[in-house]
Amino acid sequence: MVEATTHIESFLAMLSAERGAAGNTIEAYRRDLADFGQFLGRRNVVLAAATGEDVSDYFREAAAGGLKPSSRARRLSAVRQLYKFLLAEGIAWCDPTLGHAGPRKSRALPKTLNVAEVDRLIGAAAKRAEAATASERRRALRLHCLLEMLYATGMRVSELVSLPRTVLAGDERVLTIRGKGGRERLLPLNASARSALDRYLGLGEGDGFTATVATKWLFPSRSAQGHVTRQRFAQDLKELAAEAGLDPDRVSPHVLRHAFASHLLDRGADLRSLQQLLGHADISTTEIYTHVLEERLKQLVEQHHPLARRER
């Protein structure tokens, strides 16, 4: 197991240094590969000498233990990448994952909200901000601003809450953010998001707010990170959903990111542009939204095909 741990840590160091993998990604790889290493350890098999049969037995055992197909597919991908690294480094002489078929899995459609539901959510946030007392005003305007910016840009929640104040430098209509893997991308802000941001930034000492000018974060807080946390934002959204008459279990920052993507596609955006906006490194990740395109094509045929009109 010590041998396996050493090689796995070398692989993870490469992912971090050469590919700029995020901390959460590194930890996910570490967990998956450690489990594989422990399996080999129970067999007294060293990582570099594992066979295709070892790999098959590992995933057969994982399936019998109830590991979901999606999780098994993720682990197989991690193991494959590990052996590519070991081969390149001359540590292993063959890839035991070759020929190993991953589990067939259906891609679940992302949970989302329709346009009317998002409008209700944003409307509830605006109403809360208007009715807020002086002591509540800061939190209410911050929530409204976060919500408007999330739906306007489709940012990951981790990107949104940790925006530095310097993101406001330059063109006020566009944000330049650094996302997953250190990749930069441009995100346009619509008029509603800019208005909510202006109102939030207009807060002063008299509103029970210490000016954001004094901090490096756009959304500062007393948290250990120095900015509002993902958990706090998610909890605020669920409270807001209840006020808007929506099921809180259906509302989260990630659901709003899905809503952004689905609504853009529904109105004619192409997948490649959406990939850039979402910050996906691979367009295959963006293709989960093709169900929106398929539905639009069905409607197009039903509305405009002469045979479809004849059947009405």
Side-chain angles (χ1 to χ4, degrees), residues 32 35-36 58-76 103:
D32 287 344
D35 191 77
F36 179 63
Y58 170 69
F59 284 103
R60 193 176 298 114
E61 181 179 292
L67 192 66
K68 294 179 180 178
S70 58
S71 297
R72 299 202 306 276
R74 187 193 68 234
R75 285 193 183 178
L76 177 59

Side-chain angles (χ1 to χ4, degrees), residues 14-53:
M14 180 277 293
L15 283 184
S16 177
E18 297 183 15
R19 301 187 191 175
N24 288 342
T25 301
I26 295 293
E27 287 305 311
Y29 271 103
R30 179 175 283 114
R31 287 192 297 271
D32 287 344
L33 294 174
D35 191 77
F36 179 63
Q38 288 165 5
F39 171 83
L40 294 180
R42 292 194 295 272
R43 290 190 160 201
N44 294 317
V45 174
V46 297
L47 190 65
T51 65
E53 184 179 355

Side-chain angles (χ1 to χ4, degrees), residues 185-232:
R185 68 185 192 276
L186 298 177
L187 297 175
L189 278 183
N190 60 29
S192 295
R194 291 201 305 272
S195 176
L197 179 60
D198 288 341
R199 291 182 66 203
Y200 166 71
L201 293 175
L203 287 168
E205 298 283 350
D207 298 294
F209 183 73
T210 301
T212 57
V213 161
T215 82
K216 64 178 286 189
W217 307 111
L218 185 55
F219 300 106
S221 81
R222 295 187 180 90
S223 70
Q225 297 93 323
H227 56 72
V228 64
T229 64
R230 295 178 300 168
Q231 294 82 359
R232 177 73 271 171

